[in-house]
Amino acid sequence: MKTSLGNPVTMARNAIGAVTLMSLINVILVYFNLPPIMPLSLTMPISFAVMAFRTPDSIIELYPDPAQLTFFRQVSLVWVIVIIAVLAYAFWRMSKKPKAVKIGLAVVVLDTVALVTLYPILSLAFVIEALYHGLVLYYLYKGLKAIGKEKAHV
């Protein structure tokens, strides 16, 4: 397998790495009460981070009991950690087992569904995020397709 930047498997791994890194940076920004840099990131980790660290008033009204609110915030934080950890695992696993791209693809597809359900479709943020998700999905698909071709030739 070639390791050049033109290799679809390498590009898929790089796409997972970029998504993981940008999502982690955005979660850190949310933690420090700074505005997230939404493009080049996934939607779910940032949304869960907002729920865990900032807790909007609508959630506070939904859970008036402090114990319930604390539990909700903890569950949101666990989801942030799980999503980032799964992406990081897929990135590192792809160096030895390229088929781990399926894990990253599943996370990005799930995040794309969340993007479509959480954002108003006619907003500029949605268009930018949708284009980025499309690009990442394209790279992951091309990498998965290249892995299938490599296996067929062996």
Side-chain angles (χ1 to χ4, degrees):
M1 174 175 21
K2 295 188 298 185
T3 58
S4 70
L5 288 179
N7 184 344
V9 178
T10 303
M11 293 302 290
R13 184 170 187 260
N14 291 343
I16 291 173
V19 164
T20 305
L21 182 62
M22 285 307 295
S23 296
L24 183 61
I25 289 170
N26 281 321
V27 167
I28 292 168
L29 288 173
V30 169
Y31 176 76
F32 288 113
N33 284 327
L34 298 170
I37 311 163
M38 286 299 284
L40 311 179
S41 178
L42 293 183
T43 306
M44 289 188 308
I46 297 169
S47 299
F48 285 122
V50 167
M51 298 297 176
F53 302 129
R54 294 186 186 169
T55 316
D57 292 336
S58 60
I59 298 298
I60 294 172
E61 291 172 7
L62 189 62
Y63 298 107
D65 182 24
Q68 289 178 328
L69 185 61
T70 301
F71 179 74
F72 177 81
R73 293 179 75 185
Q74 290 171 345
V75 168
S76 297
L77 183 59
V78 166
W79 274 112
V80 169
I81 294 168
V82 165
I83 293 167
I84 299 292
V86 167
L87 285 169
Y89 172 77
F91 176 75
W92 277 298
R93 189 68 182 153
M94 275 190 72
S95 63
K96 298 208 188 243
K97 300 272 187 183
K99 281 201 162 197
V101 72
K102 291 178 183 178
I103 298 168
L105 182 64
V107 172
V108 175
V109 166
L110 185 62
D111 192 75
T112 304
V113 169
L115 174 71
V116 170
T117 58
L118 293 176
Y119 277 87
I121 293 179
L122 297 176
S123 69
L124 180 62
F126 174 82
V127 171
I128 292 170
E129 281 294 310
L131 289 172
Y132 181 68
H133 276 71
L135 182 65
V136 170
L137 287 171
Y138 171 75
Y139 282 133
L140 296 178
Y141 171 75
K142 292 293 277 185
L144 191 59
K145 193 173 171 184
I147 292 167
K149 283 183 182 178
E150 261 184 31
K151 196 166 194 168
H153 289 293
V154 173

